[in-house]
Amino acid sequence: MIRKLFHGYRSVGVMLVIGLIMGLVYFCGYDMRIIFDVTEEAKLPEDYSFERCDFFDGSWVYDNVSRPLYKEKECSFMTDDYSCEKFGRKEFKYQFWRWQPHGCNLPRFNGTSLLEKLRDKRVVFVGDSLGKNHWVSLLCLIDSWIIEPSNKVVEWHGSLITFKATEYNVSIDFYWEPLLVESNCDNPIKHRVLDRVMKIDSIAKHAKNWIDADMLVFDSYAWWLEPNMTLLWGSFENPTRTFVESGIVRRYEMAMKTWSNWLEDHLDRAKTRIFFTSLSPEHKKGQDWGKPVGTNCFNETEPITKKGYWGNDTSTGLMRTVESVVQDLRKKNFKIEILNITQLSQYRKDGHPTIFKRHWVPPTALELANPVKTADCSHWCLPGVPDVWNEIFYSYIRYRL
């Protein structure tokens, strides 16, 4: 009888404690992850090594318990380009897939740990709208870990958007630079030009905006896929030489050479860590995964399960160019990594906005009648695939730096 009473009182006590905590969560707005941080990540020692783990070799696992890592409506930094729920998507299964590497587990994202690791540092994402997709995902992951709104500041300066976590003196910025070198696509708002022209040997105008960064995250692929682009030497107003280059890989090699030469001459290789994000795949041809010709990612709700699936339009030539340049920079003592997100993203035909995003150019009546024609199969809904890119990025920063 005494034992039963003891267990009864203990149960009541536990319930009262849980009730008190839940009350604090409800009335004070605390994040449950901060209070109940009992994940495997919390138990990992600071010197934990992932050297034997290939983060990029794995499979997608449906997980409606630990995913999503945030809610679209609750992210202070969400933009209309990636807000699929806001613009009418009714199927949310895309939010609940977790990337599971073979042979190890990704550490669960912990915003406090990340911000402590980045204390007094500046991180800059440099690239196009997919790079911005990556950056917005990271801000959404961090958002709920900074409780006081006044400690989160965003500033716009033309092509540069700066996020500051003032409590940690951390800056995480995005800089619009879609072709790495100077071009007529450099305006962060008005860049939809039909004839792309680039100053193939000029990068300094851009680079002065990120030269002092402690960490740089580059991406530049999608804007190179036009059949013809004009290369220019000299100024836009008075060029000394121009010619039209139809070879995608050739002009990309020239730009990457300009980029790497500038890094060698100006970047503090003892200070700055560099990441280059690999190509983010598109899903514009349904026949690649067994659907009829003329279909694409529109109305897709499941990942591709075929091991090693690779879309026919994914340019291995551009990726090989990056790998070659990165290997050369490593030989010159640069701290540089490739975030090889291509294969894991290849499987996710279900993760794109399709028609569920803000249309900067309103669709015509004909396009509305045939939504496949206007479906965005390039960018990613958030929460979604880029969150995994950032879980891997977090793993590098937390345990490999």
Side-chain angles (χ1 to χ4, degrees), residues 252-271:
Y252 191 66
E253 288 173 343
M254 296 170 72
M256 288 298 292
K257 184 65 176 174
T258 298
W259 175 78
S260 62
N261 285 345
W262 195 92
L263 294 181
E264 287 184 45
D265 292 340
H266 298 90
L267 203 67
D268 183 350
R269 63 196 74 184
K271 169 189 175 183

Side-chain angles (χ1 to χ4, degrees), residues 137-203:
S137 162
L138 184 60
L139 297 195
C140 287
L141 286 165
I142 291 172
D143 191 15
S144 65
W145 295 89
I146 306 174
I147 304 302
E148 177 54 53
S150 63
N151 289 333
K152 297 177 280 191
V153 179
V154 176
E155 300 172 350
W156 290 69
H157 304 282
S159 294
L160 179 68
I161 312 174
T162 295
F163 163 76
K164 294 179 180 178
T166 56
E167 182 182 356
Y168 299 88
N169 193 31
V170 174
S171 175
I172 304 175
D173 304 346
F174 172 75
Y175 185 80
W176 173 261
E177 191 176 336
L179 292 163
L180 294 183
V181 294
E182 289 184 50
S183 74
N184 64 343
C185 310
D186 288 343
N187 188 300
I189 306 299
K190 299 177 180 179
H191 48 249
R192 289 174 173 80
V193 294
L194 295 177
D195 300 313
R196 294 178 184 174
V197 181
M198 69 189 80
K199 294 173 66 175
I200 199 66
D201 64 343
S202 180
I203 195 174

Side-chain angles (χ1 to χ4, degrees), residues 197-394:
V197 181
M198 69 189 80
K199 294 173 66 175
I200 199 66
D201 64 343
S202 180
I203 195 174
K205 179 181 176 182
H206 289 312
K208 67 182 181 182
N209 292 282
W210 42 258
I211 179 62
D212 65 335
D214 300 279
M215 193 173 296
L216 291 164
V217 186
F218 291 95
D219 90 288
S220 183
Y221 294 97
W223 282 68
W224 292 92
L225 301 179
E226 289 294 308
N228 294 298
M229 298 175 74
T230 300
L231 311 188
L232 175 150
W233 284 260
S235 67
F236 285 107
E237 296 78 15
N238 298 294
T240 59
R241 178 188 172 203
T242 63
F243 75 90
V244 176
E245 175 60 67
S246 58
I248 294 174
V249 174
R250 173 59 186 147
R251 65 196 183 214
Y252 191 66
E253 288 173 343
M254 296 170 72
M256 288 298 292
K257 184 65 176 174
T258 298
W259 175 78
S260 62
N261 285 345
W262 195 92
L263 294 181
E264 287 184 45
D265 292 340
H266 298 90
L267 203 67
D268 183 350
R269 63 196 74 184
K271 169 189 175 183
T272 305
R273 284 195 171 265
I274 307 169
F275 293 85
F276 208 107
T277 307
S278 70
L279 187 151
S280 174
E282 300 176 332
H283 292 91
K284 294 183 176 181
K285 294 182 178 179
Q287 62 266 34
D288 284 356
W289 58 87
K291 291 293 182 70
V293 174
T295 60
N296 57 23
C297 69
F298 181 68
N299 274 344
E300 292 289 347
T301 60
E302 297 282 341
I304 295 166
T305 57
K306 181 182 177 182
K307 176 67 176 176
Y309 166 82
W310 195 266
N312 289 325
D313 286 343
T314 305
S315 176
T316 55
L318 299 185
M319 294 175 66
R320 282 195 295 265
T321 299
V322 170
E323 289 170 1
S324 176
V325 172
V326 166
Q327 288 175 6
D328 185 56
L329 288 172
R330 282 175 180 161
K331 292 175 183 176
K332 297 171 181 175
N333 297 320
F334 280 88
K335 301 170 184 176
I336 184 167
E337 298 284 348
I338 294 177
L339 287 176
N340 192 10
I341 54 88
T342 307
Q343 181 65 79
L344 69 88
S345 306
Q346 287 275 9
Y347 301 118
R348 294 302 307 278
K349 59 181 171 59
D350 60 310
H352 299 287
T354 68
I355 63 172
F356 303 111
K357 57 178 285 186
R358 177 177 178 179
H359 293 277
W360 297 95
V361 178
T364 64
L366 185 61
E367 289 171 334
L368 288 172
N370 188 4
V372 171
K373 295 292 186 182
T374 58
D376 180 352
C377 297
S378 302
H379 300 95
W380 303 95
C381 297
L382 295 177
V385 173
D387 300 331
V388 171
W389 306 351
N390 279 313
E391 286 184 276
I392 295 172
F393 182 47
Y394 164 74

Side-chain angles (χ1 to χ4, degrees), residues 25-242:
V25 169
Y26 180 80
F27 289 108
C28 301
Y30 291 123
D31 194 318
M32 291 291 287
R33 291 167 302 181
I34 298 172
I35 297 173
F36 294 110
D37 191 3
V38 293
T39 63
E40 288 301 312
E41 193 278 338
K43 302 173 186 176
L44 295 176
E46 286 295 326
D47 60 350
Y48 190 89
S49 173
F50 287 94
E51 289 182 4
R52 296 183 180 179
C53 177
D54 183 353
F55 292 143
F56 309 104
D57 181 26
S59 59
W60 290 95
V61 177
Y62 188 73
D63 179 357
N64 60 1
V65 176
S66 69
R67 296 299 183 273
L69 295 176
Y70 57 89
K71 295 180 180 179
E72 177 191 305
K73 295 178 180 179
E74 295 176 1
C75 174
S76 309
F77 311 104
M78 185 63 66
T79 69
D80 287 351
D81 297 303
Y82 322 121
S83 303
C84 301
E85 183 177 351
K86 175 181 176 180
F87 286 91
R89 184 162 179 171
K90 303 299 183 184
E91 179 276 316
F92 306 122
K93 197 172 181 180
Y94 68 92
Q95 299 182 4
F96 296 100
W97 293 94
R98 172 174 53 83
W99 179 249
Q100 179 61 59
H102 298 316
C104 64
N105 295 313
L106 278 174
R108 184 172 174 82
F109 185 88
N110 184 301
T112 302
S113 297
L114 176 65
L115 291 166
E116 283 292 357
K117 197 78 173 180
L118 295 177
R119 183 179 287 276
D120 300 323
K121 291 181 171 56
R122 184 186 184 211
V123 181
V124 186
F125 286 73
V126 181
D128 56 22
S129 54
L130 284 161
K132 188 178 180 181
N133 212 164
H134 192 180
W135 173 74
V136 171
S137 162
L138 184 60
L139 297 195
C140 287
L141 286 165
I142 291 172
D143 191 15
S144 65
W145 295 89
I146 306 174
I147 304 302
E148 177 54 53
S150 63
N151 289 333
K152 297 177 280 191
V153 179
V154 176
E155 300 172 350
W156 290 69
H157 304 282
S159 294
L160 179 68
I161 312 174
T162 295
F163 163 76
K164 294 179 180 178
T166 56
E167 182 182 356
Y168 299 88
N169 193 31
V170 174
S171 175
I172 304 175
D173 304 346
F174 172 75
Y175 185 80
W176 173 261
E177 191 176 336
L179 292 163
L180 294 183
V181 294
E182 289 184 50
S183 74
N184 64 343
C185 310
D186 288 343
N187 188 300
I189 306 299
K190 299 177 180 179
H191 48 249
R192 289 174 173 80
V193 294
L194 295 177
D195 300 313
R196 294 178 184 174
V197 181
M198 69 189 80
K199 294 173 66 175
I200 199 66
D201 64 343
S202 180
I203 195 174
K205 179 181 176 182
H206 289 312
K208 67 182 181 182
N209 292 282
W210 42 258
I211 179 62
D212 65 335
D214 300 279
M215 193 173 296
L216 291 164
V217 186
F218 291 95
D219 90 288
S220 183
Y221 294 97
W223 282 68
W224 292 92
L225 301 179
E226 289 294 308
N228 294 298
M229 298 175 74
T230 300
L231 311 188
L232 175 150
W233 284 260
S235 67
F236 285 107
E237 296 78 15
N238 298 294
T240 59
R241 178 188 172 203
T242 63

